Amino acid sequence: MTAFILVLVALVLTAMLLGVHLFGVLAMNPAMAALDVDVYIRTKQSFDVIVPRFARPLMLGALIATAASLLVAILWLDVGAAIACGVGLVALTVALLAILRGDLPINQTMAGWSPDAPPDGWRQVRARWELFFAVRTVANAVALLALCMATALASP
């Protein structure tokens, strides 16, 4: 029962995280791409202050719950759940690396932009940020699918 509860917590946190990212990929990013550059920069800078307040705890919680689920599945010799949790943990780690190596450095660069004088090549920087955002969204989707499988395998 403990393994099931842990996996369920990991599943819920990952689903919430994926929801935030899917909203970004499907709604926020396309809408922002249509904005004038000065409005885009101001909006992006505002999002980069607000979104981490809830995205960071979701990511950290999902990683911890998934790692704990993996550990419990290994200790209880539940091979199927352990493999699914392992896949989920690897996928969440890929998402975290995309954030740390891509999103955050680009966000820090964009934080210094002046809306009234955007830098040359700002569209290319935005495209690179969107690529990292898409990578972490796909990785979170893979993690969610793996955790769905782990939930089914660990259910009492």
Side-chain angles (χ1 to χ4, degrees):
M1 185 61 133
T2 303
F4 176 73
I5 292 170
L6 280 171
V7 173
L8 194 57
V9 168
L11 175 71
V12 168
L13 292 172
T14 302
M16 292 171 64
L17 190 61
L18 180 59
V20 170
H21 293 137
L22 283 175
F23 173 76
V25 168
L26 299 175
M28 184 183 71
N29 294 350
M32 287 182 59
L35 298 173
D36 292 333
V37 64
D38 60 324
V39 177
Y40 170 81
I41 291 172
R42 284 185 181 91
T43 304
K44 176 76 168 82
Q45 289 170 342
S46 293
F47 272 114
D48 290 346
V49 170
I50 296 167
V51 173
R53 293 179 188 158
F54 59 87
R56 278 186 187 134
L58 284 176
M59 185 69 186
L60 183 59
L63 280 164
I64 291 169
T66 303
S69 300
L70 174 60
L71 180 62
V72 168
I74 289 169
L75 291 175
W76 288 3
L77 303 176
D78 189 342
V79 175
I83 290 170
C85 287
V87 170
L89 187 59
V90 168
L92 285 171
T93 302
V94 168
L96 180 61
L97 289 173
I99 292 166
L100 295 175
R101 302 295 291 170
D103 287 357
L104 287 180
I106 295 170
N107 288 348
Q108 291 168 347
T109 297
M110 290 177 156
W113 287 359
S114 169
D116 299 322
D120 292 336
W122 72 270
R123 284 183 179 88
Q124 290 81 5
V125 174
R126 179 181 67 189
R128 204 171 94 235
W129 177 85
E130 288 174 344
L131 174 65
F132 280 106
F133 196 93
V135 166
R136 76 180 185 179
T137 302
V138 169
N140 283 332
V142 169
L144 182 66
L145 291 173
L147 291 170
C148 284
M149 178 70 76
T151 303
L153 292 169
S155 67

